[in-house]
């Protein structure tokens, strides 16, 4: 009997050890923490990233394998960073202590400091998580001593940023390194070597962006009053992009992050030789407008149907130009189609004849104002995008909400495809966006920022557009993916939208 039990005991032994007093369990190299084990873990691991999750949260489930892969990557490098997780609903005291209001929530603890964790703001894929941590536990920029070091840094990279500082103890260097910690898509170096200043024709402190396209180099001289991190960040975002950017899923996040509000889009078909001359002219026109207007090419022969729909275009209408200000969402048509300056237009789908026959009413641009501002009704609208996974995830709850209130004359639940309908002043900056239009005069609008489950949505409606304060640990507090920041999606086309969710 003892010989038969031996293999089982050997399998259980690591878990029995991990379950000792104050010692956490470990799953796929990720520590499993609770109220009794968090404190000791903070003392044992000077760089600890903790994910607060909920077992039923879809976003948490999607993050789990990437989180484990990141832990494995860092372990393989012997990096001084550890990943951990806390079951939020099972640990209400911890979620209250750390202000967790939605799942997943990631917080980074340094040197055992329990009172001021840093909010994780990085990507949600394994390499991005690992790199975010690498730049916090190690140098965020490589120290360069000579030309060989510079060449090694540039080898195989399209863009490299080097800070040339005569004094590496200067506070400007701290600003530079702090920026480098979060600019994960760029590689950074720094130097104080006079021979490198001379090699690159510099006489004062300068941040230089080297690139293997367009101008090849862009200089950001350090002001005598100090290095402005915000201005430098914008400079790097702007100059790390091609003068003319091809729109695709890889470039769309940078298009929005560049913080250039005006976009000029050229729709063409790359399979047609005749369109090549137009692209050359487009590229020739771009340089004077760097930092003021983003020049974007949209290939109608590629997978860009959603962009065409947003601008009310068909592939056969290419070539065409469109201008958009992503802050106001106002669009301009091709000058060839309108005499004089480009004129703004308002896009709307056709109104379905049965738009009000289902529990969820279908709105379009042409009937939005009339329905939303009906003074006799409380109107709750979901602004969505057909491609948005978060919109798809919440669809059952939205349908259930509409079914629940379908017999209430004073409540109307609706939805509107914000990629195919323009709404003037009602700019939608992420998907899904939920807005409540209470009955009565005044055209009041309340943005919903709670959990997207039937119970919480119902409470919001029953309390006239407000969520009652929940006791810590009560159902619905905090929510699984219920805060708009982590559970919205940026439009994957040159349309208004904030940064990609965490």
């Amino acid at each position: 009997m003892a010989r038969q039990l031996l293999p089982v005991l050997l399998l259980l032994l690591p878990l029995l050890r991990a379950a000792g007093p104050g010692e956490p369990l470990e799953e796929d190299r990720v520590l499993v923490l609770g109220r009794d084990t968090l404190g000791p873990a903070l003392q044992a691991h000077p760089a600890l990233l903790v994910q607060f999750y909920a077992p039923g949260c879809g976003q948490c489930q999607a993050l789990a394998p990437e989180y484990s892969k990141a832990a494995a990557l860092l372990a393989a490098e012997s990096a001084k960073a550890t990943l951990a997780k806390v079951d939020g609903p099972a640990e209400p005291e911890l979620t209250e202590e750390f202000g967790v209001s939605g799942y997943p929530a990631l917080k980074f603890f340094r040197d055992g400091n329990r009172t001021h964790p840093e909010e994780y703001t990085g990507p949600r894929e394994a390499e991005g998580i690992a790199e975010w941590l690498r730049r916090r536990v190690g140098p965020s920029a490589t120290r360069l001593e000579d030309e060989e070091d510079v060449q090694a840094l540039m080898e195989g990279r399209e863009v490299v940023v080097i800070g040339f500082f005569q004094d590496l103890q200067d506070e400007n260097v701290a600003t530079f390194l702090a920026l480098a910690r979060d600019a994960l898509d760029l590689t950074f170096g720094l130097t104080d070597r006079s021979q490198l200043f001379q090699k690159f024709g510099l006489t004062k402190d300068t941040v230089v962006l080297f690139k293997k396209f367009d101008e090849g180099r862009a200089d950001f001289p350090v002001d005598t009053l100090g290095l402005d991190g915000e201005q430098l960040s914008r400079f790097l975002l702007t100059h790390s992009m091609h003068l003319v950017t091809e729109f695709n899923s890889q470039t769309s996040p940078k298009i929005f992050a560049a913080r250039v509000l005006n976009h000029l889009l050229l729709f063409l078909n790359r399979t047609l030789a005749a369109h090549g001359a137009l692209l050359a002219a487009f590229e020739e026109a771009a340089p004077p407008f760097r930092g003021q207007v983003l020049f974007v090419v949209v290939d109608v022969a590629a997978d860009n149907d959603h962009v065409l729909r947003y601008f009310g275009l068909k592939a056969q209408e290419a070539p065409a130009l469109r201008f958009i200000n992503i802050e106001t969402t106002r669009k301009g048509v091709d000058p060839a189609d309108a005499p004089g300056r480009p004129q703004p237009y308002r896009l709307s789908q056709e109104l379905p004849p049965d738009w009000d026959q289902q529990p969820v009413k279908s709105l379009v641009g042409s009937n939005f104002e009339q329905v939303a501002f009906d003074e006799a009704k409380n109107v709750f609208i979901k602004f969505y995008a057909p491609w948005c996974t978060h919109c798809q995830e919440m669809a059952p709850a939205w349908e259930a909400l509409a079914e629940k209130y379908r017999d209430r004359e004073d409540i109307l639940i609706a939805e509107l495809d914000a990629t195919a309908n323009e709404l003037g002043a009602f700019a939608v900056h992420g998907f899904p966006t939920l807005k409540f239009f209470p009955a009565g005069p005044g055209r009041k609008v309340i943005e919903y920022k709670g959990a997207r489950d039937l119970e919480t949505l119902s409470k919001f409606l029953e309390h006239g557009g407000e969520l009652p304060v929940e006791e810590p640990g009560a159902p619905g507090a905090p929510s699984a993916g219920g805060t708009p920041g982590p559970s919205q999606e940026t439009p994957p086309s040159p349309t208004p939208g904030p940064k990609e969710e965490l």
Side-chain angles (χ1 to χ4, degrees):
M1 176 67 72
R3 300 180 80 180
Q4 291 175 317
L5 287 174
L6 183 59
V8 177
L9 291 172
L10 289 173
L11 286 172
L12 290 175
L13 189 58
L15 293 178
L16 292 172
R17 285 176 182 162
E23 190 175 351
L25 291 167
E26 184 177 302
E27 293 179 0
D28 295 328
R29 300 186 183 273
V30 176
L31 300 180
V32 182
L33 302 179
R35 180 182 58 184
D36 297 329
T37 53
L38 176 62
L42 290 174
Q43 297 304 315
H45 303 282
L48 184 67
L49 180 64
V50 180
Q51 177 202 168
F52 292 83
Y53 73 98
C57 165
Q59 294 174 60
C60 303
Q61 293 164 3
L63 176 61
E66 296 298 321
Y67 201 66
S68 296
K69 287 178 192 174
L73 286 172
L74 293 168
E77 302 166 6
S78 299
K80 297 178 180 179
T82 306
L83 276 67
K85 61 182 180 179
V86 170
D87 182 340
E91 300 288 348
E93 291 182 18
L94 293 181
T95 58
E96 180 183 7
E97 178 183 353
F98 297 111
V100 176
S101 59
Y103 299 116
L106 289 86
K107 298 178 185 289
F108 181 57
F109 297 84
R110 293 299 301 262
D111 302 320
N113 187 329
R114 187 174 181 132
T115 56
H116 295 94
E118 179 184 357
E119 295 293 331
Y120 177 81
T121 56
R124 285 193 177 183
E125 45 79 28
E127 179 55 39
I129 296 169
E131 183 62 18
W132 191 92
L133 287 166
R134 289 186 196 109
R135 295 200 185 189
R136 277 156 177 76
V137 300
S140 56
T142 303
R143 181 80 173 266
L144 307 174
E145 300 292 342
D146 51 36
E147 289 185 40
E148 287 186 3
D149 286 349
V150 174
Q151 291 304 318
L153 189 69
M154 291 182 175
E155 184 69 30
R157 296 183 173 96
E158 264 210 326
V159 179
V160 168
V161 180
I162 300 178
F164 293 82
F165 298 97
Q166 294 170 353
D167 179 6
L168 294 184
Q169 303 306 313
D170 192 288
E171 63 181 25
N172 290 329
V173 176
T175 302
F176 176 78
L177 294 174
L179 187 151
R181 277 199 297 271
D182 288 315
L184 303 184
D185 56 339
L186 295 174
T187 299
F188 290 81
L190 80 162
T191 186
D192 62 350
R193 297 305 185 189
S194 57
Q195 66 268 31
L196 291 179
F197 273 74
Q198 184 176 358
K199 164 69 179 176
F200 294 102
L202 300 171
T203 57
K204 58 177 291 188
D205 288 4
T206 306
V207 177
V208 181
L209 183 145
F210 296 94
K211 50 188 173 180
K212 296 177 179 177
F213 54 86
D214 294 340
E215 312 97 321
R217 168 177 169 173
D219 290 13
F220 186 90
V222 176
D223 193 281
T224 54
L225 297 177
L227 183 62
D228 187 314
E230 186 65 27
Q231 288 185 11
L232 177 59
S233 176
R234 179 171 180 174
F235 173 88
L236 296 179
L237 284 167
T238 301
H239 287 271
S240 63
M241 296 179 68
H242 290 251
L243 274 166
V244 175
T245 303
E246 177 95 25
F247 178 80
N248 54 48
S249 59
Q250 287 74 45
T251 60
S252 61
K254 272 200 166 187
I255 289 172
F256 298 113
R259 286 171 280 179
V260 177
L261 299 180
N262 297 311
H263 295 181
L264 183 64
L265 296 93
L266 173 62
F267 293 82
L268 52 72
N269 189 327
R270 282 192 173 275
T271 65
L272 302 178
H275 288 192
L278 289 172
L279 178 57
F282 197 60
E283 292 172 339
E284 188 178 340
F289 297 96
R290 186 185 280 280
Q292 302 171 54
V293 179
L294 277 184
F295 281 60
V296 181
V297 172
V298 181
D299 183 4
V300 299
D303 185 22
N304 288 318
D305 288 348
H306 51 291
V307 189
L308 290 166
R309 284 198 304 271
Y310 184 80
F311 285 91
L313 286 171
K314 296 179 180 177
Q316 55 267 34
E317 294 180 80
L321 281 173
R322 290 293 183 267
F323 180 88
I324 182 172
N325 181 290
I326 65 169
E327 187 173 57
T328 64
T329 74
R330 301 293 287 179
K331 308 186 186 89
V333 300
D334 191 329
D337 300 332
R341 298 181 64 182
Q343 301 296 313
Y345 65 89
R346 189 68 56 82
L347 180 68
S348 175
Q349 291 177 304
E350 289 187 15
L351 181 64
D354 60 346
W355 70 272
D356 60 348
Q357 299 303 302
Q358 299 300 318
V360 177
K361 313 307 177 190
S362 299
L363 302 187
V364 297
S366 60
N367 73 335
F368 166 73
E369 292 255 342
Q370 178 185 354
V371 175
F373 296 108
D374 184 340
E375 295 185 5
K377 294 186 183 297
N378 296 289
V379 182
F380 204 6
I381 302 176
K382 176 182 73 175
F383 298 89
Y384 73 95
W387 43 261
C388 167
T389 55
H390 297 310
C391 303
Q392 295 160 10
E393 287 170 1
M394 75 160 293
W398 199 247
E399 292 281 351
L401 184 72
E403 186 65 41
K404 180 177 180 178
Y405 292 99
R406 71 181 303 168
D407 295 327
R408 286 278 299 268
E409 292 292 331
D410 61 327
I411 292 178
L412 186 144
I413 309 299
E415 63 183 10
L416 183 144
D417 181 351
T419 68
N421 298 277
E422 277 194 278
L423 305 174
F426 290 92
V428 175
H429 298 296
F431 302 114
T433 289
L434 307 180
K435 291 181 183 287
F436 179 65
F437 301 78
R443 297 171 66 90
K444 188 177 180 182
V445 184
I446 300 169
E447 183 154 359
Y448 177 81
K449 297 183 179 180
R452 293 176 185 145
D453 58 84
L454 177 59
E455 181 183 358
T456 313
L457 291 164
S458 299
K459 286 180 181 178
F460 179 79
L461 282 176
E462 296 294 345
H463 288 81
E466 293 183 359
L467 279 174
V469 178
E470 299 281 359
E471 292 297 322
S479 62
T483 53
S487 55
Q488 281 188 321
E489 289 190 36
T490 303
S493 61
T495 60
K499 61 185 180 181
E500 183 76 21
E501 84 174 64
L502 226 192

